[in-house]
């Protein structure tokens, strides 16, 4: 009897934890919360229309208030849970807030509802995945973009200027960037896969086909050519990439083609097309590899002006000056390079320790170079251009630096 009683109690406990459909029952607190949420949804639907909620969402986005934008957008989605525009907007907001998991779920829901329309969800999903899974998302996004472009072309042919696009227009630059994303994966994560080099080259060719001026595509082609030891061809592509956004090279082009200034503005990338910070670090590395030290210096110094707490930038500046030591006669210029290399590498080492970086090989190489260079205090009068902005106390807030400048003047 005792055994039967225990069995009965165990069975009863199991029924308490599950509902008839096999799912877990909600606790009283969870049921209360669910009821309040339902009540809030109903109240919102009665008081505001979806258009009004989206208007408030856009207003908050314009003011960079993504937390409130998320609330308004979620309310709109509660009313119309299958609205693709709302899903896309909410996904963008979640990504801005750094809520990767929620953004992922939102975009996957959009994929489920409309797999063949809207490319942006695939671009985001590609960014947060790796390897072949990322390639699949980017490829699908590219396919959607190309289909959209074809549809717009057909509509324009059929109805002329009066044609009203059935979907948001897609630019050739967007398609080029998508192909660059695919090429980048085969150049890095999947570089050891069979046929990776061919697929990488194919994606780069496609990227340049859709936008021959895309700095990212030109730089990827340079990287690819360097990897197969076609250095001169790679150098040409790299220079073409950098000349589309590096200030000094843009000025040269403008002076050589001032008569066609208006056309230049239309055809060539402008300042707004300057690559992201990380991409320009890669640019500097390639320029150093190509022994284009002057351009590499300009790129790295511009990066320092934007953010002077990136250890790798200081390290690369020290490295490129070190590489020039054996290319100069033992003149004052050689002393300049030695002093500059020592100064930049010293700052890299100090900043590395301050920020507790974890790139051991870079730190070891920095220490090795400093040991070879010896002390950096000798021949101060021959040290070349002033490096006051990177003295030992350079790591301080911009406000403190401004106060010191004000006192000096």
């Amino acid at each position: 009897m005792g055994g039967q009683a225990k069995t009965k109690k165990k069975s009863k406990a199991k029924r308490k934890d599950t509902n008839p459909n096999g799912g877990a029952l909600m606790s009283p607190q969870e049921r209360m919360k669910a009821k309040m949420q339902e009540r809030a949804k109903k109240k919102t639907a009665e008081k505001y229309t979806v258009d009004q909620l989206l208007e408030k969402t856009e207003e908050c986005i314009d003011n960079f208030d993504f937390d409130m934008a998320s609330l308004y957008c979620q309310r709109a989605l509660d009313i119309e849970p299958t609205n693709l525009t709302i899903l896309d907007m909410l996904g963008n907001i979640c990504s801005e807030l750094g809520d990767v998991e929620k953004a992922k779920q939102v975009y996957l829901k959009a994929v489920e509802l409309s797999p063949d329309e809207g490319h942006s969800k695939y671009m985001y999903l590609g960014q947060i995945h790796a390897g072949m899974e990322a390639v699949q998302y980017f490829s699908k996004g590219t396919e959607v973009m190309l289909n959209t472009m074809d549809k717009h072309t057909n509509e324009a042919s059929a109805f002329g200027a009066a044609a009203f696009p059935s979907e948001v227009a897609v630019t050739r630059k967007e398609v080029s960037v998508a192909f660059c994303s695919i090429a980048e994966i085969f150049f890095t994560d999947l570089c050891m896969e069979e046929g990776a080099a061919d697929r990488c080259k194919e994606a780069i060719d496609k990227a340049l086909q859709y936008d021959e001026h895309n700095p990212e595509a030109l730089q990827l082609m340079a990287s690819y050519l360097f990897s197969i030891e076609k250095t001169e061809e790679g150098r040409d592509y790299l220079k073409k990439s950098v000349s589309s956004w590096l200030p000094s090279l843009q000025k040269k082009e403008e002076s050589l083609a001032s008569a066609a200034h208006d056309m230049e503005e239309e055809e060539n990338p402008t300042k707004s097309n300057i690559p992201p910070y990380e991409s320009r670090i890669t640019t500097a590395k390639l320029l150093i590899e190509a022994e284009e030290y002057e351009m590499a210096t300009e790129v790295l110094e511009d990066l320092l002006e934007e953010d002077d707490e990136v250890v790798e930038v200081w390290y690369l500046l020290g490295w490129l000056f070190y590489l020039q030591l054996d290319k100069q006669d033992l003149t004052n210029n050689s002393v300049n390079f030695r002093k500059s290399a020592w100064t930049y590498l010293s700052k890299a080492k100090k900043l590395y320790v301050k920020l507790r970086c974890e790139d051991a090989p870079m730190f070891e190489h920095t220490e090795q170079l400093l040991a070879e260079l010896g002390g950096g205090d000798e021949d101060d009068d021959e040290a070349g251009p002033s490096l006051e902005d990177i003295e030992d106390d350079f790591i301080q807030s911009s406000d403190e630096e401004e106060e010191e400048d004000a006192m000096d003047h």
Side-chain angles (χ1 to χ4, degrees), residues 50-51 54 74-84 86-87:
V50 168
D51 287 342
L54 292 182
Q74 184 61 59
R75 285 281 188 247
L77 189 63
D78 290 338
I79 299 171
E80 295 185 9
T82 60
N83 187 311
L84 293 172
I86 300 174
L87 282 167

Side-chain angles (χ1 to χ4, degrees), residues 304-317:
L304 277 187
E305 287 185 14
E306 290 181 36
D307 185 350
D308 64 0
E309 292 206 345
V310 180
V311 178
E312 190 174 19
V313 175
W314 292 98
Y315 160 75
L316 288 172
L317 274 164

Side-chain angles (χ1 to χ4, degrees), residues 86-123:
I86 300 174
L87 282 167
D88 190 58
M89 189 177 289
L90 183 59
N92 286 330
I93 294 169
C94 290
S95 63
E96 288 288 346
L97 289 170
D99 192 344
V100 176
E101 189 55 38
K102 186 172 181 180
K104 177 181 175 181
Q105 296 307 318
V106 169
Y107 282 126
L108 287 174
K109 179 66 175 177
V111 168
E112 179 186 333
L113 292 171
S114 181
D116 298 319
E117 292 183 6
H119 66 276
S120 61
K121 54 181 177 281
Y122 291 111
M123 296 297 104

Side-chain angles (χ1 to χ4, degrees), residues 31-239:
R31 286 199 299 272
M32 179 65 71
K33 185 178 180 180
K35 285 181 180 179
M36 291 176 67
Q37 288 176 339
E38 284 299 319
R39 201 174 297 139
K41 291 178 186 178
K42 190 176 292 185
K43 187 175 180 180
T44 300
E46 292 172 354
K47 191 172 182 180
Y48 302 104
T49 66
V50 168
D51 287 342
Q52 288 174 323
L53 289 168
L54 292 182
E55 185 178 339
K56 291 295 292 182
T57 300
E58 291 175 350
E59 183 181 315
C60 291
I61 291 173
D62 290 340
N63 293 323
F64 301 100
D65 187 354
F66 295 104
D67 288 309
M68 283 303 298
S70 176
L71 293 176
Y72 284 120
C73 198
Q74 184 61 59
R75 285 281 188 247
L77 189 63
D78 290 338
I79 299 171
E80 295 185 9
T82 60
N83 187 311
L84 293 172
T85 300
I86 300 174
L87 282 167
D88 190 58
M89 189 177 289
L90 183 59
N92 286 330
I93 294 169
C94 290
S95 63
E96 288 288 346
L97 289 170
D99 192 344
V100 176
E101 189 55 38
K102 186 172 181 180
K104 177 181 175 181
Q105 296 307 318
V106 169
Y107 282 126
L108 287 174
K109 179 66 175 177
V111 168
E112 179 186 333
L113 292 171
S114 181
D116 298 319
E117 292 183 6
H119 66 276
S120 61
K121 54 181 177 281
Y122 291 111
M123 296 297 104
Y124 182 82
L125 289 168
Q127 290 170 14
I128 63 173
H129 287 82
M132 193 55 71
E133 197 171 6
V135 170
Q136 290 170 350
Y137 280 121
F138 283 129
S139 297
K140 180 61 179 179
T142 305
E143 177 188 322
V144 171
M145 281 193 277
L146 293 176
N147 289 338
T148 301
M149 289 179 70
D150 288 342
K151 188 181 294 185
H152 286 179
T153 301
N154 293 335
E155 288 174 355
S157 298
F159 303 105
F164 187 80
S166 57
E167 298 176 53
V168 177
V170 174
T171 66
R172 296 180 69 85
K173 176 66 177 290
E174 288 177 303
V175 176
S176 179
V177 169
F179 278 117
C180 285
S181 298
I182 296 171
E184 186 72 37
I185 295 171
F186 282 111
F187 203 73
T188 54
D189 296 355
L190 299 178
C191 64
M192 301 304 292
E193 295 291 317
E194 185 177 352
D198 291 337
R199 293 195 65 176
C200 178
K201 176 63 162 52
E202 179 184 351
I204 297 172
D205 286 339
K206 286 285 188 181
L208 289 171
Q209 175 186 328
Y210 282 93
D211 185 358
E212 62 181 333
H213 298 297
N214 182 356
E216 185 181 1
L218 291 165
Q219 181 166 299
L220 277 169
M221 180 61 85
S223 295
Y224 172 80
L225 291 168
F226 284 145
S227 72
I228 60 174
E229 299 182 357
K230 292 188 176 181
T231 308
E232 286 305 315
E233 289 182 54
R235 183 182 282 110
D236 291 340
Y237 274 99
L238 183 58
K239 285 183 177 179

Side-chain angles (χ1 to χ4, degrees), residues 269-307:
T270 60
K271 191 174 180 179
S272 63
N273 286 324
I274 292 178
Y277 198 97
E278 286 297 325
S279 178
R280 281 178 283 155
I281 290 179
T282 302
T283 303
K285 291 177 181 177
L286 291 171
L287 287 168
I288 292 172
E289 184 178 349
E291 299 184 1
E292 296 289 345
Y293 298 124
E294 188 175 338
M295 278 192 280
T297 302
E298 183 178 354
V299 171
L300 290 167
E301 288 179 346
D302 285 347
L303 289 172
L304 277 187
E305 287 185 14
E306 290 181 36
D307 185 350

Side-chain angles (χ1 to χ4, degrees), residues 284-285 287-289 291-302 304 312-348 365 369-370 372-373 382-387 389-390:
K285 291 177 181 177
L287 287 168
I288 292 172
E289 184 178 349
E291 299 184 1
E292 296 289 345
Y293 298 124
E294 188 175 338
M295 278 192 280
T297 302
E298 183 178 354
V299 171
L300 290 167
E301 288 179 346
D302 285 347
L304 277 187
E312 190 174 19
V313 175
W314 292 98
Y315 160 75
L316 288 172
L317 274 164
W319 173 231
L320 77 84
F321 278 113
Y322 173 87
L323 289 173
Q324 296 176 79
L325 291 178
D326 61 354
K327 296 183 181 297
Q328 300 288 325
D329 294 329
L330 293 177
T331 62
N332 288 345
N333 280 337
S334 182
V335 176
N336 292 345
F337 289 141
R338 180 176 295 278
K339 176 69 175 180
S340 296
W342 184 90
T343 303
Y344 283 118
L345 290 168
S346 295
K347 305 316 172 186
H365 191 219
L369 295 174
L370 284 170
E372 291 182 29
L373 289 167
E382 303 293 338
S386 173
L387 295 172
D389 58 322
I390 54 171

